[in-house]
Amino acid sequence: MRISRAAFRYFKSLLLIASLIFSTESFAQDGHSIKVRMKGVTEGRTCHLAHFFGYNQYIKVDSAKVENGELNFKGKDPLKGGIYLIVLSPSKYYDFAINGKEQFMEIEGDTTDFVGSVKFKGSRENEILFGYRKFLQDKSKEAEAMSAMAKMKNDPTSQEMNRKKVELIQKEVDTYMKNIVKENEGTFAAKVIKANIDPELPTVLPKKANGRPDSTYLFNYYKGHYFDNLDFADDRLLRSPFIHSRMERYFKDLVYQTTDSVNHDADKVLKLAKKNQEVYRWALWWVTNKYENNEIVGLDGVFIHLAENYYLKDADWLDSTQRAKFKERVDILKPLQTGFVFPTLIVADSLGREYNPMQSKTKYTIVHFYDPDCGHCKESAPKLMEFYNKNKDKATIYNVSVAYDTKKMNNFVHGYKTQPLLNLWDSKGRYYFRKNFDVYSTPTNYILDKDKKIIARRIPVDKLEDFINFYERQQIQKMSGNTGK
């Protein structure tokens, strides 16, 4: 078939017009626009659009003023997927979902009952999510009503009936959640709902060799399947409370707080997080931040493990300077871990006589680093003497000045009456205390056992006695366990 030139020009012009229309529509869809009509929000009030990043913090994305009863958050860039918030004040906000594709939507609701009243236009995701949330709200009201009735009727029959009704409501909720996730598989809303589903526990317990049910099986099963419903590969969940709350609960309630256990479980979680680089980077930061300055004694090895196996191996977002700082920190902390023998420290008194904590004959040795000019050290000195006077039969205190000024040291010793202690300093300049003993602030102390192994560090002076008492109770429990008593 042959096409005339006129027809060809006409066809070509139609293609050009069509392409212009398409490009105009594409341009019109760039960016985002979230229009909000919220009953109860004052005209002229400035509100913010934000999103979660972690459990209880959020990052502001945009601001808008209520004009003619409407907020219009709009911008030229698309919004990343996550759980977003319409923030009226730091304590008053309303959340909704953005899947990363639905960039143009309208929200209408009432501040007195946002979940029950809210309607969405242009967001199938939120229709799914808030259908689920409305269902939960209704079932919660049912359960509250039953609880109120139970308080009025305390007889066993009524209590049992109420318990069965509550169980039935819970089963309805569980079934609803599973169904809505299955019916909407692939949606962000389904992932959010699924993240709130706990692993289903088996009803039959395996038996131990003695024929009795294994009482630890349920805990181990629950822990082993705890993250089954959380998609670490989806970075949208970073901009929600769900990854953070799950990890917080896992490390708080399910992980035994010893270095080996924490390291094992950190490896497990970080392996899951590696499915997404952004999630992995955040998860590594979160675990490191949790344990770098943890108040639980004896977990200093966690930071070393994370630094050596992650930051110094595959944290490609670090530059050479940052990596060098991690390496330096590991080099400082590694010899000073709880359970390690305290490093060599040779210091002298004002007469030049040298001492080493290894010479101590008492059950415990306290190596206390202080600065004569330090205000906190001056406050701690009387408490240190109080501890010494009560525990001098079982504890030797090496009171080590980090200052190279014997006059200041002697003034401190006489002023705070620490003469009964071993008042010492680095007379031969052997040490850089910050690097050799991690003394980046004063006072800093180490508690050593009879074998001169570190059992604790940085315990406040007024808590030294409490810690030693706690440590001795732990040792008694270990001995009882080891002897089978």
Side-chain angles (χ1 to χ4, degrees):
M1 183 178 70
R2 191 172 181 180
I3 300 174
S4 68
R5 287 188 176 181
F8 179 77
R9 285 196 297 269
Y10 176 72
F11 180 66
K12 189 175 180 181
S13 65
L14 285 178
L15 287 175
L16 179 60
I17 291 168
S19 68
L20 286 171
I21 291 171
F22 176 77
S23 63
T24 302
E25 288 179 344
S26 298
F27 179 77
Q29 292 299 308
D30 285 347
H32 67 272
S33 174
I34 313 294
K35 293 181 180 179
V36 183
R37 297 187 68 86
M38 189 83 74
K39 188 177 179 181
V41 181
T42 310
E43 183 73 15
R45 181 173 187 168
T46 298
C47 301
H48 306 291
L49 180 68
H51 63 72
F52 277 103
F53 197 84
Y55 184 62
N56 56 5
Q57 57 183 345
Y58 53 81
I59 296 173
K60 190 174 78 170
V61 176
D62 197 1
S63 298
K65 189 177 288 187
V66 180
E67 296 178 353
N68 299 319
E70 185 175 277
L71 288 163
N72 191 1
F73 300 106
K74 58 183 178 180
K76 62 180 181 179
D77 298 319
L79 298 172
K80 291 182 177 181
I83 301 298
Y84 280 70
L85 308 107
I86 303 159
V87 183
L88 307 187
S89 71
S91 60
K92 194 170 186 180
Y93 48 83
Y94 305 92
D95 61 313
F96 64 99
I98 289 179
N99 67 358
K101 295 179 181 178
E102 296 174 343
Q103 298 288 338
F104 297 82
M105 68 179 74
E106 296 180 16
I107 305 171
E108 187 172 348
D110 191 325
T111 56
T112 58
D113 181 13
F114 181 70
V115 172
S117 66
V118 71
K119 294 177 182 177
F120 292 88
K121 184 178 178 181
S123 178
R124 172 65 183 150
E125 292 276 4
N126 281 295
E127 290 175 10
I128 298 167
L129 186 58
F130 278 84
Y132 152 73
R133 291 180 66 177
K134 286 173 184 176
F135 177 83
L136 280 190
Q137 186 169 273
D138 291 342
K139 291 300 172 183
S140 179
K141 288 177 181 177
E142 282 185 42
E144 286 175 7
M146 288 179 187
S147 179
M149 289 179 64
K151 290 179 181 178
M152 297 172 63
K153 296 180 179 180
N154 292 320
D155 60 283
T157 303
S158 298
Q159 291 290 331
E160 180 62 18
M161 286 178 62
N162 185 71
R163 186 187 64 79
K164 288 182 178 179
K165 287 179 181 178
V166 171
E167 281 185 0
L168 184 61
I169 290 175
Q170 186 58 55
K171 286 180 181 178
E172 285 183 61
V173 171
D174 292 342
T175 302
Y176 178 89
M177 291 174 76
K178 290 174 185 175
N179 287 340
I180 200 168
V181 167
K182 186 176 180 180
E183 292 166 4
N184 298 279
E185 189 175 357
T187 64
F188 180 51
K191 289 188 177 185
V192 167
I193 296 166
K194 189 176 182 180
N196 286 280
I197 300 176
D198 269 342
E200 190 171 341
L201 297 175
T203 54
V204 179
L205 296 181
K207 294 183 179 179
K208 297 190 289 187
N210 60 12
R212 294 179 180 177
D214 185 354
S215 58
T216 64
Y217 180 77
L218 285 181
F219 173 83
N220 291 329
Y221 182 93
Y222 181 80
K223 181 181 178 182
H225 293 271
Y226 181 76
F227 291 112
D228 284 1
N229 294 323
L230 187 67
D231 187 1
F232 280 92
D234 194 334
D235 60 74
R236 293 177 296 184
L237 291 174
L238 274 184
R239 290 172 288 279
S240 82
F242 305 115
I243 287 183
H244 181 279
S245 59
R246 279 264 155 190
M247 285 180 58
E248 183 69 55
R249 184 180 169 197
Y250 183 77
F251 281 95
K252 179 183 178 183
D253 297 336
L254 304 180
V255 177
Y256 190 52
Q257 298 299 306
T258 63
T259 295
D260 289 344
S261 293
V262 173
N263 287 346
H264 175 270
D265 285 295
D267 289 342
K268 173 185 173 180
V269 171
L270 292 171
K271 184 177 179 180
L272 292 170
K274 278 192 174 181
K275 296 172 184 177
N276 181 288
Q277 181 69 4
E278 190 178 353
V279 175
Y280 168 64
R281 182 173 174 174
W282 177 85
L284 178 57
W285 167 84
W286 184 88
V287 178
T288 307
N289 186 63
K290 181 174 181 65
Y291 286 101
E292 185 177 7
N293 296 302
N294 197 287
E295 292 182 359
I296 299 174
V297 173
L299 294 180
D300 38 355
V302 175
F303 172 79
I304 296 167
H305 173 79
L306 294 173
E308 287 188 322
N309 292 281
Y310 296 94
Y311 287 104
L312 297 178
K313 281 188 177 180
D314 63 357
D316 55 10
W317 59 88
L318 297 179
D319 60 30
S320 58
T321 302
Q322 292 169 322
R323 194 169 286 106
K325 287 181 179 178
F326 271 101
K327 178 67 167 59
E328 180 185 22
R329 193 81 185 118
V330 169
D331 290 343
I332 291 172
L333 293 177
K334 202 165 185 177
L336 299 169
Q337 291 179 76
T338 303
F340 282 34
V341 174
F342 191 68
T344 299
L345 174 66
I346 300 173
V347 279
D349 63 15
S350 59
L351 299 176
R353 294 174 296 194
E354 292 190 334
Y355 294 83
N356 185 336
M358 294 299 164
Q359 300 167 344
S360 176
K361 304 297 182 184
T362 49
K363 187 175 183 181
Y364 300 102
T365 302
I366 313 295
V367 181
H368 180 81
F369 294 98
Y370 77 98
D371 186 327
D373 291 328
C374 161
H376 291 298
C377 300
K378 294 173 182 177
E379 291 174 9
S380 297
K383 299 171 186 176
L384 187 64
M385 289 309 302
E386 183 180 347
F387 168 80
Y388 171 77
N389 289 327
K390 290 174 68 175
N391 297 277
K392 55 188 172 184
D393 291 337
K394 63 178 180 181
T396 301
I397 299 179
Y398 282 63
N399 196 35
V400 182
S401 170
V402 298
Y404 289 84
D405 187 326
T406 54
K407 185 178 180 180
K408 285 185 176 181
M409 184 185 81
N410 289 331
N411 288 341
F412 187 96
V413 169
H414 287 92
Y416 292 95
K417 298 179 173 60
T418 66
Q419 290 93 338
L421 311 181
L422 291 173
N423 297 287
L424 309 161
W425 70 296
D426 180 16
S427 62
K428 295 185 178 178
R430 293 184 175 101
Y431 308 106
Y432 175 33
F433 289 114
R434 184 182 183 92
K435 183 176 181 180
N436 296 114
F437 297 95
D438 195 33
V439 183
Y440 59 81
S441 64
T442 50
T444 289
N445 58 58
Y446 289 81
I447 306 177
L448 316 180
D449 67 7
K450 62 182 178 58
D451 300 316
K452 308 306 177 287
K453 290 181 179 179
I454 301 168
I455 59 175
R457 56 187 299 219
R458 298 193 183 283
I459 301 294
V461 171
D462 58 352
K463 300 295 182 184
L464 288 173
E465 186 169 13
D466 290 343
F467 173 78
I468 287 177
N469 291 337
F470 166 76
Y471 175 77
E472 290 184 339
R473 288 195 300 270
Q474 274 194 322
Q475 297 308 108
I476 292 170
Q477 288 174 3
K478 286 180 182 179
M479 290 178 64
S480 297
N482 291 336
T483 56
K485 293 181 180 179

